[in-house]
Amino acid sequence: MRKISLCVAGGVLCLLSGSCFALAQTPHPMGFFVTSEGLPGGANFGGIEKADAHCQELAASVGAGNRVWHAYLSQQARDGKPAIDARDRIGKGPWYNAKGVLIASNVGDLHGDNLRDRNNIQKANMLDEKGQAIKGFGDMPNEHDILTGSDSDGRAFPAGVDTTCNNWTSDGAANKAMLGHADRTGGGNVSWNSTHMSAGCSKDSLIRTGGAGHLYCFATN
């Protein structure tokens, strides 16, 4: 009986007899990224919808604009506007980063509803839309602060203390926003979405705190 040898390289299966065919490939499309850049107004996006538009624009710049992108931001009940929870804006998952690494399978795993640390959020996986790493604790400059305005469960804080830079419409020093650490490093609380408050809402204030106005962006579909 004649032996047939196989060789697999570059996604192509070849028989030594000379016949070759492409193997089926199932790449995971990007469904999550950290914005490569913030907006000039710091945390003043002009509202939560403008932050979504920023995510959508960056996604489109790398060929992922066929999906609907939302910023991971909460909105507080204020001035006749209802509270909005970040966790309710991002779809059902799963979400993969630009290199096809699973970030979380669903909203519950992302937030640890049933078991903490079911997500894959760590420095190595926090990539921007171009697949480039976000600078974290120990890098120069440190930009691991991510704007969220959310508690650790991904929900808006009660009205009263401002945690959303006046629902993402202020760049003033009197307003503040809740931040998460993309690398989950630095300080006693290493939450990815609710670590500490910003020093203010301007671009300079965010930089001084340890960030650059970065956002988490999730594909909702």
Side-chain angles (χ1 to χ4, degrees):
M1 181 180 292
R2 188 172 58 131
K3 292 184 178 180
I4 298 177
S5 298
L6 304 178
C7 176
V8 178
V12 176
L13 175 65
C14 295
L15 297 157
L16 290 188
S17 60
S19 59
C20 298
F21 58 92
L23 293 173
Q25 305 224 357
T26 57
H28 298 292
M30 181 177 70
F32 165 88
F33 64 87
V34 181
T35 57
S36 58
E37 56 190 54
L39 291 168
N44 180 5
F45 309 123
I48 201 167
E49 296 83 3
K50 296 294 182 64
D52 292 343
H54 184 50
C55 288
Q56 192 74 43
E57 181 179 357
L58 292 178
S61 73
V62 294
N66 60 322
R67 308 188 75 178
V68 177
W69 292 87
H70 280 181
Y72 183 91
L73 295 174
S74 290
Q75 173 178 289
Q76 292 177 280
R78 181 183 297 126
D79 300 327
K81 295 183 177 180
I84 298 175
D85 297 334
R87 63 182 290 143
D88 295 336
R89 316 186 65 247
I90 58 174
K92 297 181 179 179
W95 302 280
Y96 297 84
N97 69 11
K99 293 188 176 179
V101 175
L102 178 66
I103 298 302
S105 295
N106 51 60
V107 173
D109 283 356
L110 181 66
H111 294 93
D113 290 353
N114 301 311
L115 183 66
R116 304 305 294 181
D117 291 327
R118 287 292 297 272
N119 64 50
N120 203 12
I121 294 179
Q122 53 182 294
K123 184 177 181 180
N125 298 332
M126 293 296 97
L127 308 179
D128 66 19
E129 71 279 0
K130 304 170 188 175
Q132 299 173 335
I134 299 299
K135 291 183 174 65
F137 186 78
D139 296 327
M140 293 297 293
N142 175 18
E143 297 182 350
H144 68 178
D145 285 350
I146 312 295
L147 292 160
T148 71
S150 306
D151 67 16
S152 61
D153 292 322
R155 295 187 169 91
F157 286 92
V161 177
D162 182 23
T163 61
T164 61
C165 290
N166 195 29
N167 283 337
W168 316 112
T169 63
S170 171
D171 60 1
N175 298 100
K176 301 182 186 301
M178 179 57 71
L179 307 165
H181 281 177
D183 56 2
R184 303 186 71 173
T185 302
N189 178 359
V190 292
S191 171
W192 66 276
N193 63 345
S194 194
T195 304
H196 61 81
M197 298 286 280
S198 66
C201 295
S202 69
K203 190 66 174 278
D204 288 343
S205 294
L206 299 178
I207 291 172
R208 288 199 309 271
T209 307
H214 292 298
L215 301 171
Y216 294 123
C217 297
F218 288 81
T220 67
N221 59 342

